[in-house]
Amino acid sequence: MDYIVLDIEFNGRKFASELPMEVIEIGAVRLNSKLEQTDEFSALIKPVYFSKLNNFIKKKTGIPQEDIDRASRFPKVIGDFIAWLSRSEQFLLLTWGGEDMKRIVFDTRMHKLDDSIWLAADYFDLLKGYTRYKDVTNDVSVEAALLDLDIPAEGSAHRALDDARMTAEVFRKIYTELDFELKQQFKDTYTNAKERRMVKNAIRTMTSQKIKPQWEVFAEKYLAGKASFEDVRKIAELQQYFEAELEKAATKSTAGQAG
């Protein structure tokens, strides 16, 4: 089993737009079963939209505009990356959060390419693995994890290959503490973090007010009449999340009583 530590950079925008964000850089390192680095992948991508990087992205990543201008488009780069991945007989993708997989899938679909390899690929969210290991709830950056684990930071933050290298160092450090049964595959989601946080806060509020948390009450109070919740897929996903959060709360309560 090889471990592929993946990082991407994308052209986020300072001002809201209906045009899609796109991957502008892919970086990855390949580790063998002994966690020894055996290979690297690095490529810039020229986006279709916003091909001129805004000042925020240029400052954040340090990517020169002329390098983007000379870069290949996404179909060529993702093809090269898939070929690079295929050198491993078996691999597990490692990401820091779920955004990298999401962006690759979205760009694959935008270019009308086959997304089956990404939907079938197993990946492990090392950010979640790290927060479980540290028993914290807040997300942290790779840089903060390096500092916390007393690992020297090398390279440039927000460049894909350097970030992948640094993420690999965190992976090596906490490898024995990770539960790989929690690996996952990409799943389309229709809700965002703010909406899921609203569910958690609503359950907490209802409980504190001695109101039995029920989906019907939540839907009437928080969702009814709001255009942003007209998508039935989003409603179904929110309801599943609501039930899952209730189950978590019940489990914690039972454990507390037993203790």
Side-chain angles (χ1 to χ4, degrees):
M1 169 70 79
D2 285 343
Y3 299 99
I4 307 295
V5 187
L6 169 67
D7 187 82
I8 64 109
E9 298 297 330
F10 55 89
N11 62 338
R13 300 174 304 282
K14 186 174 181 180
F15 301 104
S17 170
E18 293 183 357
L19 295 174
M21 292 186 283
E22 294 174 78
V23 179
I24 58 172
E25 187 176 31
I26 296 176
V29 298
R30 191 192 322 268
L31 307 178
N32 62 21
S33 58
K34 297 179 181 178
L35 307 189
E36 299 166 334
Q37 182 172 323
T38 61
D39 203 359
E40 294 182 339
F41 181 92
S42 179
L44 290 169
I45 298 170
K46 184 176 182 178
V48 175
Y49 306 103
F50 303 101
S51 55
K52 296 298 180 185
L53 302 180
N54 64 45
N55 289 333
F56 172 76
I57 293 299
K58 283 193 286 189
K59 184 175 180 180
K60 176 187 172 186
T61 64
I63 297 174
Q65 180 64 50
E66 53 268 27
D67 288 357
I68 286 290
D69 293 339
R70 289 194 296 265
S72 298
R73 297 287 190 183
F74 182 83
K76 168 70 167 60
V77 174
I78 203 65
D80 291 344
F81 184 48
I82 290 171
W84 182 83
L85 286 175
S86 69
R87 296 176 196 169
S88 295
E89 290 186 12
Q90 282 188 303
F91 63 85
L92 176 66
L93 292 167
L94 300 166
T95 64
W96 195 262
E99 192 68 19
D100 294 345
M101 290 295 289
K102 175 182 174 182
R103 290 293 156 199
I104 285 179
V105 170
F106 280 17
D107 277 27
T108 295
R109 291 172 176 172
M110 184 184 79
H111 287 276
K112 296 180 170 51
L113 303 173
D114 183 6
D115 63 5
S116 59
I117 184 174
W118 304 111
L119 299 183
D122 290 329
Y123 80 96
F124 184 85
D125 184 343
L126 189 58
L127 170 57
K128 288 183 179 177
Y130 176 81
T131 56
R132 283 190 294 265
Y133 164 61
K134 300 300 291 187
D135 194 24
V136 296
T137 56
N138 293 333
D139 289 349
V140 298
S141 65
V142 174
E143 293 79 17
L146 289 169
L147 184 63
D148 180 63
L149 296 170
D150 198 26
I151 301 172
E154 298 180 358
S156 302
H158 305 301
R159 287 304 303 264
L161 182 55
D162 283 344
D163 278 352
R165 289 168 176 163
M166 289 187 282
T167 303
E169 292 302 321
V170 174
F171 177 62
R172 287 191 184 100
K173 187 81 171 185
I174 66 173
Y175 173 81
T176 57
E177 306 297 328
L178 300 174
D179 181 1
F180 291 103
E181 292 297 316
L182 297 175
K183 66 185 179 182
Q184 54 194 311
Q185 293 181 331
F186 178 82
K187 183 175 73 171
D188 283 301
T189 56
Y190 304 99
T191 59
N192 57 42
K194 182 178 179 181
E195 290 162 346
R196 293 189 292 273
R197 194 160 51 244
M198 177 183 68
V199 169
K200 284 187 175 182
N201 291 337
I203 290 174
R204 200 174 295 126
T205 299
M206 283 188 267
T207 301
S208 68
Q209 294 175 351
K210 311 235 183 284
I211 299 171
K212 183 179 178 181
Q214 293 180 312
W215 169 254
E216 292 75 15
V217 175
F218 171 80
E220 181 179 354
K221 185 171 182 180
Y222 292 89
L223 309 183
K226 295 183 180 177
S228 57
F229 296 105
E230 290 179 354
D231 189 332
V232 293
R233 297 170 300 180
K234 178 182 284 194
I235 295 295
E237 190 173 291
L238 269 185
Q239 185 168 2
Q240 288 180 344
Y241 189 73
F242 185 91
E243 300 298 338
E245 287 301 309
L246 282 185
E247 189 173 336
K248 281 185 190 176
T251 301
K252 285 183 180 178
S253 176
T254 301
Q257 290 171 4

